[in-house]
Amino acid sequence: MSARGRKITSQFGHADIGVSRYFALYLAQAGWVALGLYLYSQAIWPSTCTPHGLVEIYMCSGQLADNRGWVEAALMTWLWTTPLLLALAGMELLRRMGILRSDR
């Protein structure tokens, strides 16, 4: 087996990424944002809370389940998983830059 075919475990996460993976990554991100926009446009907010800004959206998102619709429940889930996904992406960037080491 040639040196190219071997898996180098000490360089996990630092190999070159093909163009198709970049397209898949950005397509998934665009789909996630499109899903959030669709859910936001279709959701019916409770009459006690009509948000006008990002902070108000998160403050009112706990009341979305009061309508018991699937769109509202999905929007609440989308709203609360997005910051977690962003935090994971930030941790991965820090790990790739060497600031956050995974071998400790």
Side-chain angles (χ1 to χ4, degrees), residues 13-33:
H14 295 286
D16 291 336
I17 298 176
V19 176
S20 63
R21 289 189 184 186
Y22 277 113
F23 284 128
L25 176 66
Y26 291 126
L27 183 64
Q29 288 174 347
W32 184 256
V33 171

Side-chain angles (χ1 to χ4, degrees), residues 17-66:
I17 298 176
V19 176
S20 63
R21 289 189 184 186
Y22 277 113
F23 284 128
L25 176 66
Y26 291 126
L27 183 64
Q29 288 174 347
W32 184 256
V33 171
L35 174 67
L37 292 174
Y38 171 75
L39 291 172
Y40 182 75
S41 69
Q42 298 298 315
I44 299 172
W45 291 88
S47 60
T48 58
C49 191
T50 53
H52 297 290
L54 186 63
V55 174
E56 290 179 6
I57 288 173
Y58 275 94
M59 289 174 56
C60 293
S61 66
Q63 298 176 13
L64 280 170
D66 294 345

